Amino acid sequence: MALFGQNTDEFLEFLGTYLTKDVGADSQALHELPTKLMELDKLGHQDVCQKAVELLGTAVGGQKSLQIPFKEAGILGYTLKQLDPLEASVELTRQYLRVIGNCIADNDENRAVALDSFQKLIDCFRKDDLTPTAIAVILNLCNEFDPAQIQAARLRLDSTISELLVANKITNSDGIDHAVDLLTWTTSSLSPAEIQDSSSTRTVNHILDLALAYDEDHYDDYIAVCLYYLEDAEFQQKATETDLPEKVFDVLLDYESRLKPGDIHDVFRAMSGKPEPAKLDSGGSDTVMVQLINCLSAISATDAFAKRNSMTSPFIRKVKSKMLSLSTSPSTVCACIILGNLAISDEVAIEMVEDMGIHLTLIGILSARKESSLLYAAAGLMRHLAFPEENRRVLGEAGLIETCCYLLVNADPSVRGEGAAILGKLVTSNYENIEQIVYETMPEDITPAAIPGMDVPVQPTILYHMVTQALVRSAPLPSTSMKSASVEIGRAIVNMLRYLHQSDLECDVEPLLRHMYKTPLVAKPLAQLARQGFFAEARSDGLLGLGLMVQSHEGAACVVDCLKADRGLLVSLQDLFNDEGNAKEQARIEGLSRDQQNAFVLLHGLVINGTYVMDPETKSDVEAMQTELEQFLL
C-alpha cells in the first residue's frame, strides 16, 4: 500500500499498524517514508511528522530487527539529516534522537552511518530538555565502538560532558551514570596532542570540582579520569600556570581522609616500592594515592611552578601546614616533595630554616618515624635546606648530624643514601660541623657496624660510624637516580678534607686532621670511590681526597694501609693511563685530565710522606709506577 495520497490520519493509522508487523517481506513502505515525511514537513504538518517519527522510534526500539531495514530505507539517514536542535522543535528533535539512538544500539553498521553526525548529537546539549536523550544516544553510539570513542575525543566530548556535569545540567542518576561512562571512554581515547590542548586544563578543573562535590557513586571515576590527564608530562607543564595543582592537593587530602589505617599502611609500602604482592597492579587506593603524589611531585618540579609559587602563596601555605602537622601521613610525603622542589632556591631554603623552623619538624620526623617513603622525602627536603652555607651551622646545632647517624643504619638503602648526602652538605665549608663529626662519639643506642679484622674503638666517633657504614654491605638501590650511602659518605669525607686543606682558614686545623686520621679505615671509603667506575665525579672526588690525605705523614699512613689491604688501588691508578700511546699524545696536546693530575699528586705524596710505613713490595710498586708515569709530565 502506497503512503502517498493518504490523509494525515490515515497515514498515521497505517504506519502504526504497519510497524507492528514483520516488514521483512514488504519494506516498500519504509522506503517511501523519508519522502513522505519531507512532504508533510513542507506542508507544515510538523505535528504529524512528530507523531510518525515517534512511532518509528518506538518500533525500532522494540524490534532490533528493524535497525538494518531502517538504514537501508534511508530512515536513519533522514533523521540524522533533519536533526537540528536550533531549528526543529524540542519534541520533534527528541523523537529524531529516539530513532537514531534505537537504530544504532549494539549495531556497528548503523553506528558507522551516524558517526558523521556526531557533532549534531553534541549540539543537542544546547537545549537542556534534550540533554538526557542526547546523552543516551551518544552512549549507544560509543558503547564498545572504538571509532566513535576516538571521534568523541577529537570533538572533545570530555570537555562538553564535564561542563554539563559541573553546571548540574544532568540531574537524574541514569544520566549521570551515562555521562561518567562517556567521560571515561572519551578520556581514554585522547591522543597526546588532545590531552595537551588548551581545553584540557579547564576540563580537569571541572572534574576535580566534581570529585570534591562528594558524589560518592562516581568519586573514584572522577579521580581516575583526572589522573589520565595529570600523568602526561606536557599537561603537567600547562597545569603549573593555573590553580589546578592546589585542587589536586585538595583531592589528595580528601582521598586520604577516606582511607582506613590499613590502607594508609599499604600506601606507605607502595611509595617505598614494596607493595603487598597480592595488591600489585590492583588499581586500589594505594595505587591512586601514589599516582596523585607522583603527579604533584612532577608538577612542583617544573620551573614554572617555582616562578608562580612562593612560601606566602595560599597553596604553599596549605602544603606547609600539612607538613608541619603533628599527624603524619602519605600526604606528608607529598608536602615534603613539593617544599623540597621549592627549596632548590637558596633564598627559599634560608627562609624555611630561619623564619619558619621547618627543619625542626623534619628532624622530628626523621627521628621518630619508620616509614621509609616518608623518611626519604623528609631527608630529601632536609638535604635541600642544607645547600645554603648560611643554614649549615643552624642545622648542625639543631641535632641534624645525630639524626643522620640513625638514617645511616636504616634498612632502606635510599634513606641511608639521603642521610649520607645530608652529611656531605653539612660538612661543606663548615668547621663546626666537621669538628662535631670528628670529635663527638656516635649515639650510644646505635650498635657500631662490625668490620672483619677490626676492633671497635672504646669511644667510636661519628666519623667512625660514617666510615664503617660506607664499608658495610647494603641492599641495592631501587633506582640509579638515588644516592648511594657508600658514595655519599666518601664524598662527605672528601668535603671535610677539601675544607681543612684550604690555606686561608684562621683556625688551626692540624689537631683536627690528626684526630681524623686516627679513625680506623678512614681512607677506605675514598679508595672505594677511586676504584669504582660507575660514577665519574665520585671517582674524581675519591682521587682528590686520597691526594689530600697523603700531604701529611698521618694521612699517608692511612692510605698506605689501604694499599696493603687492596693492591687493586694501584691498578686503578694505572687504568687512568691505559692505551698509553694515545694517552701520551692527548697529554701533550690537551694536558693531563683532572683524574690523571690527582693520581700524580697521590703518588707523589705517597713517595714523600708514606714510604716510611710501606713494606718493601708496596714501596717498590709505588716508586715504579711513579717513574713509569712521569713520562706523561714531559
Side-chain angles (χ1 to χ4, degrees):
M1 176 180 178
L3 297 177
F4 297 105
Q6 299 181 54
N7 62 42
T8 55
D9 290 338
E10 290 175 341
F11 164 67
L12 291 174
E13 182 181 355
F14 166 78
L15 183 61
T17 303
Y18 175 73
L19 291 173
T20 62
K21 301 176 181 179
D22 181 5
V23 301
D26 179 16
S27 61
Q28 178 60 35
L30 288 182
H31 286 269
E32 295 180 26
L33 266 174
T35 303
K36 179 64 175 178
L37 291 171
M38 195 174 299
E39 178 189 85
L40 290 169
D41 184 55
K42 288 180 178 179
L43 294 173
H45 296 303
Q46 278 78 23
D47 57 334
V48 178
C49 287
Q50 177 185 314
K51 291 177 182 178
V53 175
E54 183 177 357
L55 289 172
L56 291 171
T58 301
V60 73
Q63 304 177 59
K64 283 194 173 182
S65 59
L66 289 174
Q67 288 179 328
I68 295 301
F70 271 32
K71 177 183 77 72
E72 293 175 345
I75 294 172
L76 174 59
Y78 173 80
T79 54
L80 288 167
K81 181 180 179 181
Q82 293 296 108
L83 188 67
D84 188 344
L86 298 182
E87 294 293 332
S89 68
V90 168
E91 191 53 43
L92 179 56
T93 304
R94 181 182 289 112
Q95 299 311 319
Y96 286 145
L97 287 171
R98 289 183 64 239
V99 173
I100 296 166
N102 289 333
C103 275
I104 63 177
D106 303 316
N107 190 312
D108 289 355
E109 186 177 339
N110 284 7
R111 285 168 172 165
V113 174
L115 209 53
D116 289 340
S117 300
F118 205 141
Q119 184 60 57
K120 284 187 173 184
L121 297 175
I122 294 175
D123 289 342
C124 291
F125 292 136
R126 297 181 184 180
K127 296 289 183 70
D128 291 347
D129 291 342
L130 293 176
T131 294
T133 309
I135 285 282
V137 174
I138 295 176
L139 183 85
N140 281 354
L141 179 59
C142 292
N143 186 28
E144 296 184 355
F145 189 55
D146 290 344
Q149 293 181 14
I150 294 170
Q151 181 80 328
R154 188 180 67 80
L155 296 173
R156 294 317 301 261
L157 181 64
D158 55 323
S159 179
T160 303
I161 293 290
S162 66
E163 288 178 3
L164 292 171
L165 287 168
V166 83
N168 290 318
K169 291 188 175 181
I170 305 173
T171 54
N172 68 81
S173 58
D174 286 344
I176 294 175
D177 289 343
H178 295 162
V180 172
D181 284 340
L182 287 171
L183 194 60
T184 301
W185 298 338
T186 304
T187 302
S188 63
S189 299
L190 292 171
S191 68
E194 288 162 348
I195 289 176
Q196 296 155 18
D197 78 15
S198 57
S199 69
S200 291
T201 51
R202 183 174 64 252
T203 300
V204 175
N205 263 302
H206 288 329
I207 301 171
L208 289 170
D209 287 338
L210 293 168
L212 291 169
Y214 301 104
D215 176 0
E216 298 297 333
D217 292 337
H218 305 100
Y219 183 77
D220 291 332
D221 296 314
Y222 291 138
I223 292 178
V225 168
C226 287
L227 283 170
Y228 196 85
Y229 298 88
L230 290 169
E231 291 184 318
D232 181 87
E234 290 296 324
F235 180 84
Q236 290 167 0
Q237 290 282 344
K238 292 181 181 294
T240 60
E241 302 169 4
T242 69
D243 294 329
L244 192 148
E246 182 174 0
K247 283 189 180 180
V248 178
F249 192 72
D250 290 339
V251 167
L252 171 65
L253 296 178
D254 180 68
Y255 193 90
E256 183 179 71
S257 69
R258 300 162 179 254
L259 300 180
K260 299 175 182 178
D263 296 329
I264 295 290
H265 171 75
D266 290 340
V267 175
F268 274 125
R269 285 187 60 89
M271 285 192 294
S272 67
K274 303 172 184 176
E276 298 287 354
K279 298 184 179 182
L280 285 172
D281 301 321
S282 64
S285 58
D286 52 344
T287 304
V288 173
M289 280 291 291
V290 171
Q291 287 175 305
L292 287 170
I293 291 171
N294 286 345
C295 291
L296 278 169
S297 301
I299 289 172
S300 66
T302 61
D303 291 338
F305 182 86
K307 291 178 181 178
R308 182 180 174 86
N309 293 276
S310 68
M311 294 307 296
T312 58
S313 302
F315 173 37
I316 300 305
R317 285 180 177 177
K318 187 180 297 184
V319 172
K320 184 183 69 174
S321 176
K322 177 56 195 176
M323 206 280 297
L324 296 175
S325 170
L326 295 176
S327 174
T328 52
S329 60
S331 58
T332 309
V333 174
C334 187
C336 287
I337 294 171
I338 293 173
L339 294 177
N341 286 331
L342 288 180
I344 59 174
S345 159
D346 281 4
E347 181 182 354
V348 172
I350 293 169
E351 182 182 358
M352 286 184 181
V353 172
E354 291 186 354
D355 299 340
M356 301 178 182
I358 285 177
H359 64 293
L360 300 176
T361 298
L362 288 174
I363 288 175
I365 292 173
L366 294 172
S367 302
R369 301 297 298 197
K370 303 299 181 184
E371 300 88 355
S372 59
S373 53
L374 178 56
L375 293 175
Y376 181 74
L381 171 54
M382 186 67 89
R383 177 166 54 83
H384 286 186
L385 297 184
F387 267 75
E389 189 172 340
E390 295 92 324
N391 282 351
R392 293 170 195 158
R393 182 171 183 175
V394 177
L395 296 176
E397 291 174 347
L400 182 55
I401 292 174
E402 292 87 344
T403 301
C404 288
C405 289
Y406 293 96
L407 298 182
L408 293 182
V409 295
N410 192 278
D412 191 296
S414 61
V415 174
R416 295 182 67 239
E418 285 296 319
I422 293 172
L423 288 170
K425 286 299 176 185
L426 290 177
V427 299
T428 301
S429 304
N430 188 279
Y431 186 81
E432 291 80 11
N433 289 342
I434 296 174
E435 265 193 321
Q436 183 178 348
I437 286 174
V438 172
Y439 287 128
E440 290 191 12
T441 57
M442 61 184 287
E444 293 182 356
D445 55 346
I446 297 179
T447 303
I451 303 299
M454 188 178 72
D455 296 328
V456 177
V458 177
Q459 291 186 317
T461 62
I462 294 174
L463 178 58
Y464 173 81
H465 178 52
M466 291 171 59
V467 169
T468 54
Q469 286 301 315
L471 303 181
V472 297
R473 294 176 62 87
S474 178
L477 286 165
S479 167
T480 55
S481 64
M482 293 178 171
K483 299 185 179 301
S484 162
S486 61
V487 170
E488 297 303 325
I489 290 173
R491 300 180 87 164
I493 296 172
V494 174
N495 289 344
M496 295 164 66
L497 291 167
R498 183 188 285 115
Y499 181 70
L500 294 176
H501 280 83
Q502 291 180 13
S503 59
D504 57 348
L505 294 181
E506 296 179 359
C507 49
D508 183 8
V509 300
E510 291 304 320
L512 185 59
L513 279 169
R514 284 195 293 270
H515 197 82
M516 183 176 179
Y517 295 147
K518 291 179 181 178
T519 304
L521 300 181
V522 69
K524 184 68 174 176
L526 309 189
Q528 285 185 164
L529 292 188
R531 286 203 59 188
Q532 61 81 38
F534 192 78
F535 304 102
E537 285 294 322
R539 181 182 64 183
S540 298
D541 287 341
L543 289 169
L544 172 63
L546 293 173
L548 293 173
M549 289 187 75
V550 297
Q551 301 310 304
S552 69
H553 292 296
E554 295 86 352
C558 297
V559 177
V560 169
D561 287 339
C562 283
L563 292 175
K564 292 177 180 178
D566 181 10
R567 313 297 293 187
L569 179 57
L570 286 178
V571 175
S572 68
L573 298 181
Q574 178 70 62
D575 289 342
L576 297 173
F577 300 88
N578 279 343
D579 195 4
E580 187 173 322
N582 289 339
K584 287 180 182 178
E585 182 66 13
Q586 179 182 348
R588 184 184 67 80
I589 298 173
E590 303 176 7
L592 295 174
S593 69
R594 181 177 60 170
D595 286 357
Q596 290 170 333
Q597 292 177 36
N598 287 336
F600 276 113
V601 171
L602 173 55
L603 289 170
H604 180 72
L606 283 172
V607 171
I608 299 300
N609 294 317
T611 53
Y612 77 102
V613 290
M614 292 182 189
D615 59 74
E617 182 181 2
T618 303
K619 181 178 179 181
S620 174
D621 289 345
V622 169
E623 291 176 343
M625 182 172 293
Q626 184 190 35
T627 301
E628 178 184 351
L629 298 183
E630 278 179 348
Q631 57 189 306
F632 287 89
L633 298 175
L634 299 178

